[in-house]
Amino acid sequence: IKLALNDEKLPVYGTGKNIRDWLYVEDHCEAIDLVFHSGVAGERYNIGGHNEKRNIEIVKLILQRLGKSEDRKGHDYRYAIDPTKISRELGWLPKTKFEDGIVKTIDWYLANPEWLK
C-alpha cells in the first residue's frame, strides 16, 4: 500500500498467481491474545484467515482502491497455512471478511500519511 501511494512499483514475483492466506490485523491480534490466555503452553497454533488469494488479486485490489494503474510482476508461489488447530482447540475464527479488512487497511494508510514517513 505504501509503495502504491508513493507511485512506486509493487514487487509481485513471477506471474502473480502465487497464493497466500490473508488475515486482517485486528483478527490476528485477537488470535494471538486468545492463544496467550487460553492456548496450551508449548503448543503452536497457525493463525490463518481462510482467505487464500493470488498475489496479483491483492495488487489489483489495492491499485483499484487507490485509483492507480496496474503494471506489476512477482515471486513466492504459495504461502498458505492450515489454521485448523486454533479453530478446533480454541474455537477461533477471523471476524473480518477479507474484502472488508483490505479496504480498512488501505483506508488506514490513507488516513495516516505521517506513518508512511
Side-chain angles (χ1 to χ4, degrees):
I1 296 169
K2 178 181 176 182
L3 293 174
L5 285 170
N6 290 327
D7 293 320
E8 297 177 35
K9 289 192 174 196
L10 292 136
V12 178
Y13 305 100
T15 63
K17 294 180 181 175
N18 318 330
I19 299 170
R20 290 185 181 236
D21 184 46
W22 296 86
L23 177 64
Y24 183 57
V25 64
E26 290 179 7
D27 287 329
H28 193 198
C29 293
E30 180 183 293
I32 291 169
D33 187 63
L34 178 66
V35 169
F36 181 77
H37 289 99
S38 302
V40 175
E43 286 292 318
R44 294 183 179 135
Y45 297 90
N46 290 328
I47 301 169
H50 303 276
N51 285 300
E52 292 188 7
K53 307 268 186 214
R54 296 185 185 282
N55 287 347
I56 196 67
E57 292 177 67
I58 306 307
V59 168
K60 288 179 180 181
L61 194 153
I62 291 169
L63 293 174
Q64 178 184 8
R65 179 80 180 166
L66 296 176
K68 305 283 183 172
S69 65
E70 184 185 324
D71 179 18
R72 315 296 185 232
K73 297 276 177 209
H75 102 280
D76 41 9
Y77 188 70
R78 183 179 175 139
Y79 281 88
I81 59 166
D82 179 2
T84 303
K85 182 178 181 178
I86 192 170
S87 298
R88 183 184 65 238
E89 293 186 15
L90 302 178
W92 183 86
L93 288 170
K95 293 179 183 174
T96 309
K97 290 194 291 186
F98 170 79
E99 293 76 10
D100 297 332
I102 191 72
V103 168
K104 289 165 96 175
T105 302
I106 293 168
D107 290 349
W108 183 91
Y109 275 86
L110 290 172
N112 294 280
E114 67 283 350
W115 188 85
L116 298 174
K117 297 175 185 173

